[in-house]
Amino acid sequence: LLDGKAFQEAAELLTELVAEGNAQAEYLLGAIHHRDLIDAKDPALVEKLFRSAAAAGVSDAMASLGNILISQGKRREGLAWQRKAEKADPRVGERVALVSAEIE
């Protein structure tokens, strides 16, 4: 298993890729922050990274953003992102359906 130091190093490398405009890196960096794998809890940054990656077409980011928005009470916007994720990648859609069932 990776330890905190490895996640911190990964976050630093991903930050460089984000600066270059890499949407997949935005999603991964957001996921590291969202899951508290490093000591830098910043919900606003997580949402910003997921929004950017989702807008660039990263289906996992669309689904994750949808989940975050639903948890914030922004159900309509969250469900819209989840639907986009389902259309972009049916495998993501299966995971979205499971999470949506747990929320309701």
Side-chain angles (χ1 to χ4, degrees), residues 28-103:
L28 294 172
L29 183 59
I32 286 173
H33 280 275
H34 183 63
R35 294 186 179 115
D36 292 328
L37 299 174
I38 59 174
D39 293 329
K41 183 73 172 174
D42 186 348
L45 176 62
V46 171
E47 186 174 335
K48 177 183 173 186
L49 289 166
F50 283 170
R51 277 191 185 278
S52 182
V58 178
S59 57
D60 285 319
M62 293 174 193
S64 295
L65 177 60
N67 292 337
I68 287 173
L69 293 170
I70 290 169
S71 73
Q72 294 173 347
K74 301 174 186 174
R75 186 172 177 80
R76 180 175 289 174
E77 184 182 4
L79 290 173
W81 277 111
Q82 287 184 341
R83 283 191 291 276
K84 288 179 185 180
E86 291 171 8
K87 288 179 184 176
D89 184 345
R91 293 170 298 169
V92 171
E94 292 170 9
R95 292 191 304 271
V96 166
L98 290 173
V99 171
S100 295
E102 291 174 10
I103 292 171

Side-chain angles (χ1 to χ4, degrees), residues 15-27:
T15 298
E16 292 175 18
L17 293 171
V18 167
E20 296 172 9
N22 185 312
Q24 187 66 36
E26 287 176 315
Y27 166 68

